[in-house]
Amino acid sequence: MDEEDQGLVKGSGNKLQLTVDEVVEEYVGSFGFSQLVHVFLVSLAWIFDSHNTLVTIFTDAQPQGWKCISPLCDENEASVCGLEPGTWEWAAGNSSSTIAEWGLVCDQKFRAALPASLFFLGSLLGSAVYGRLADGFLGRKRTVLLSCLLTSATTFLTSLSPNIWIYSLLRFANGFSRSGIGICCLVLSTEAVGRKWRGQVGQYGFFFFTAGFLSLPLIAYPTRTCWRNIYKIISFLPLVYAVFILVPFVSESPRWLLVRGRSEEALDVLKRYAKVNGKKLPPNLSLLEPSSCANKVAGQGTKNLWNTNWAAKRMAIVMITGFGVGFVYYGVQLNVENLNFNLYFTVAINAMMEIPAVFIGSVLLSFTNRRLLFSLSAYIAGISCILCTIFSSTSHKKGNQSKGSLAQLTIEAIGFMAASTAFDVMYVYCVELFPTNVRNFAVSMLRQALMLGASIAPLLVVVGRLSPSLSFLVFGVLSIFSGMTSLWLPETLNSPLYETLDQQEEEEKFNTISDDMEIELGKEISNTSVFTI
């Protein structure tokens, strides 16, 4: 492909034509104050994504204790399953969680996993729908707006659920609604900055997700006697954000506007960025529209990935690995109640462990092999989960769980930090593994695999209420398995981002042949040196 086809020609005469990348790098600034504010405002939405994803840790928690209210109640019973109905009650009250209110224990305990599983299945479906809307006529900003409004509505309706079935259905709708936040905010943030900042900006959203995670215990504790109030509080926040922050202060992606043929609007956005950064665009500047060749590249279709042998195999490995990562990352978070510690304290510890995980991942990604970093993180998470089985206890006293050890909490926190690092790195790794014309599709497939794993994890959490050792063991084994499958993926550190499947296939084959020739040449030089000696 020549220079003109790549859209890099600056034009002729008095009219200056540049691509969005060139305008950002040369005139706007790669990452100025305007982009910093833009990324900050956009990334705030990750907080609501975190709230709605992890709220069931508290609302669907197993009640911590029960007490007798009748002489017919036997206080020596190990669980409430052997007691007559009406002779006992939950210590925190029947409205403290959905399990307590709807009696999701004993022979109905597996119903307790249904809401969380359906939430992640809704997220899986929503990821595909929102991805198409954001790339199509709706755009990034309006898709985030739609996602926030629907999230607010479905969250409030969830607080009014009359039974477990309506509650599960609304959790599915809530999962579908919130799934547009993470994907679109990631794209909307990265498309506003220069090349060298995209990786770092892509990680910033995880800090705000962590902030939402960390704030959740602060919301849940004052409302611990009524699970419905938690949903009412978190339903209010995305509505306020959408109306008072997103609509008036966040700009649409200039790249999307240009692709949709709205070049003047795209240029206006870039002018506002430049003005806030203390810079000015040339008066004769116009944006170079995507060439017909570029459009053909972008429109080759996602099915080509599955029709290309090497890409299909790579995508399959990424999805298998992603399934395990999603299962462990979300499963360990939901499984904190089986640690036998104070639930609010444990969730706060896990949330704080996300901060070093994101920081370490951001730093190490700048110079460490992706495959090595991901696999080591997965191994550490797996080994930590397996070590947790040593400290797990299944004994109960009067319906209250026995106290866990500090060693168990420490090991679990380390394991969760490693799982969080692996989760974050996998997104970056996937972006680098595939070319531009199928990259969004590949990331969408990874996210769906993550959500599929997450949808199954709640079932294991329910099993963990009976056998904590078993749940931690399964999490550990699956995490190690994910680390092992990643070894079949190629390394991408310092590799270029290719544009098409054909180009990437040719370049990777050429690089492989070159590496083999260098190895053979090294062997010959070594043999010659030995012979000379």
Side-chain angles (χ1 to χ4, degrees):
M1 183 181 295
D2 59 25
E3 191 174 283
E4 184 176 1
D5 286 337
Q6 292 177 8
L8 300 179
V9 173
K10 293 180 171 52
S12 60
N14 295 327
K15 193 172 183 180
L16 180 62
Q17 285 188 310
L18 299 175
T19 64
V20 174
D21 270 333
E22 290 171 330
V23 174
V24 170
E25 298 289 348
E26 297 179 23
Y27 296 102
V28 175
S30 185
F31 190 55
F33 182 74
S34 61
Q35 290 112 314
L36 175 63
V37 173
H38 173 83
V39 170
F40 172 78
L41 295 179
V42 171
S43 298
L44 284 174
W46 283 83
I47 295 175
F48 322 125
D49 187 35
S50 177
H51 284 169
N52 285 274
T53 301
L54 304 172
V55 66
T56 51
I57 294 176
F58 299 102
T59 60
D60 299 3
Q62 176 76 19
Q64 293 298 303
W66 53 272
K67 59 184 179 182
C68 290
I69 58 174
S70 169
L72 300 177
C73 174
D74 184 3
E75 295 186 352
N76 295 320
E77 283 286 344
S79 73
V80 298
C81 297
L83 301 176
E84 291 292 328
T87 62
W88 62 277
E89 67 178 7
W90 296 111
N94 289 340
S95 61
S96 60
S97 74
T98 58
I99 292 178
E101 180 168 333
W102 294 320
L104 306 179
V105 292
C106 305
D107 58 335
Q108 298 189 53
K109 58 181 177 291
F110 283 100
R111 291 184 181 180
L114 187 61
S117 293
L118 287 178
F119 174 86
F120 288 114
L121 288 176
S123 298
L124 187 155
L125 180 61
S127 297
V129 173
Y130 280 117
R132 292 183 179 276
L133 288 176
D135 286 337
F137 73 95
L138 206 55
R140 283 80 160 103
K141 176 182 175 178
R142 285 186 292 180
T143 302
V144 175
L145 176 63
L146 176 64
S147 185
C148 286
L149 294 177
L150 290 178
T151 297
S152 178
T154 54
T155 305
F156 182 78
L157 290 174
T158 302
S159 70
L160 307 178
S161 302
N163 54 56
I164 183 62
W165 307 113
I166 300 299
Y167 178 72
S168 300
L169 180 62
L170 287 170
R171 284 299 290 164
F172 175 85
N174 187 234
F176 181 95
S177 300
R178 52 70 65 170
S179 60
I181 294 177
I183 295 176
C184 298
C185 286
L186 178 64
V187 175
L188 191 54
S189 295
T190 55
E191 289 186 341
V193 301
R195 296 185 188 95
K196 67 178 182 179
W197 287 98
R198 290 174 194 165
Q200 291 90 328
V201 167
Q203 293 286 305
Y204 290 165
F206 293 114
F207 279 109
F208 288 89
F209 187 91
T210 301
F213 190 10
L214 191 57
S215 66
L216 200 52
L218 303 178
I219 300 173
Y221 187 76
T223 59
R224 62 190 178 278
T225 58
C226 183
W227 64 268
R228 298 177 187 272
N229 289 338
I230 306 177
Y231 280 108
K232 290 176 182 177
I233 292 174
I234 66 174
S235 71
F236 182 66
L237 301 177
L239 179 62
V240 173
Y241 168 80
V243 174
F244 294 103
I245 296 179
L246 182 63
V247 173
F249 297 115
V250 174
S251 301
E252 180 56 89
S253 166
R255 301 173 191 274
W256 178 83
L257 290 170
L258 185 63
V259 168
R260 300 297 294 183
R262 297 157 64 178
S263 58
E264 290 299 322
E265 294 178 59
L267 192 58
D268 288 340
V269 172
L270 293 172
K271 286 179 180 178
R272 288 198 296 271
Y273 286 160
K275 183 178 180 181
V276 175
N277 289 345
K279 299 183 179 183
K280 188 176 181 181
L281 302 187
N284 62 335
L285 175 67
S286 64
L287 294 177
L288 190 64
E289 303 242 355
S291 64
S292 58
C293 179
N295 286 333
K296 289 178 181 178
V297 169
Q300 282 183 3
T302 55
K303 66 178 183 179
N304 282 343
L305 186 149
W306 298 116
N307 293 339
T308 306
N309 190 36
W310 68 268
K313 290 180 179 178
R314 186 174 297 182
M315 189 74 256
I317 295 173
V318 167
M319 292 182 68
I320 292 172
T321 304
F323 172 84
V325 172
F327 186 90
V328 175
Y329 175 74
Y330 288 108
V332 169
Q333 293 181 77
L334 298 175
N335 200 48
V336 293
E337 65 179 76
N338 294 323
L339 285 173
N340 302 332
F341 264 91
N342 179 275
L343 182 61
Y344 303 92
F345 176 74
T346 306
V347 171
I349 291 295
N350 272 0
M352 287 189 289
M353 295 307 288
E354 287 250 36
I355 298 175
V358 176
F359 178 76
I360 291 172
S362 299
V363 173
L364 292 181
L365 278 171
S366 63
F367 62 88
T368 306
N369 290 355
R370 278 75 166 117
R371 183 172 57 190
L372 176 64
L373 179 58
F374 173 82
S375 59
L376 285 180
S377 299
Y379 294 151
I380 293 173
I383 293 171
S384 298
C385 287
I386 293 174
L387 289 176
C388 279
T389 63
I390 300 174
F391 302 97
S392 296
S393 173
T394 56
S395 60
H396 293 73
K397 293 181 181 180
K398 292 183 64 177
N400 290 315
Q401 293 180 327
S402 59
K403 296 296 182 181
S405 67
L406 182 61
Q408 181 191 32
L409 180 61
T410 302
I411 293 172
E412 189 274 344
I414 294 173
F416 176 70
M417 183 177 70
S420 179
T421 301
F423 184 89
D424 297 349
V425 170
M426 195 62 206
Y427 268 108
V428 177
Y429 198 9
C430 182
V431 167
E432 297 176 341
L433 282 169
F434 297 93
T436 300
N437 69 311
V438 296
R439 189 171 293 130
N440 284 340
F441 176 72
V443 174
S444 175
M445 294 300 295
L446 168 63
R447 185 172 177 85
Q448 291 180 59
L450 290 167
M451 293 300 101
L452 182 61
S455 68
I456 300 176
L459 298 174
L460 188 60
V461 173
V462 173
V463 173
R465 291 168 183 163
L466 302 176
S467 176
S469 297
L470 178 60
S471 62
F472 281 117
L473 180 63
V474 174
F475 285 132
V477 171
L478 197 55
S479 183
I480 293 174
F481 175 76
S482 293
M484 293 176 63
T485 57
S486 68
L487 298 178
W488 274 269
L489 295 172
E491 181 51 53
T492 60
L493 177 65
N494 296 327
S495 297
L497 294 181
Y498 301 102
E499 301 301 327
T500 67
L501 290 164
D502 290 338
Q503 179 196 11
Q504 182 160 348
E505 183 175 14
E506 292 175 5
E507 291 289 340
E508 289 186 350
K509 283 183 178 179
F510 176 77
N511 292 335
T512 301
I513 294 173
S514 298
D515 292 340
D516 291 340
M517 291 178 64
E518 289 180 3
I519 293 173
E520 291 297 328
L521 181 60
K523 288 182 179 179
E524 291 180 8
I525 293 175
S526 177
N527 292 336
T528 303
S529 300
V530 172
F531 179 77
T532 303
I533 293 173

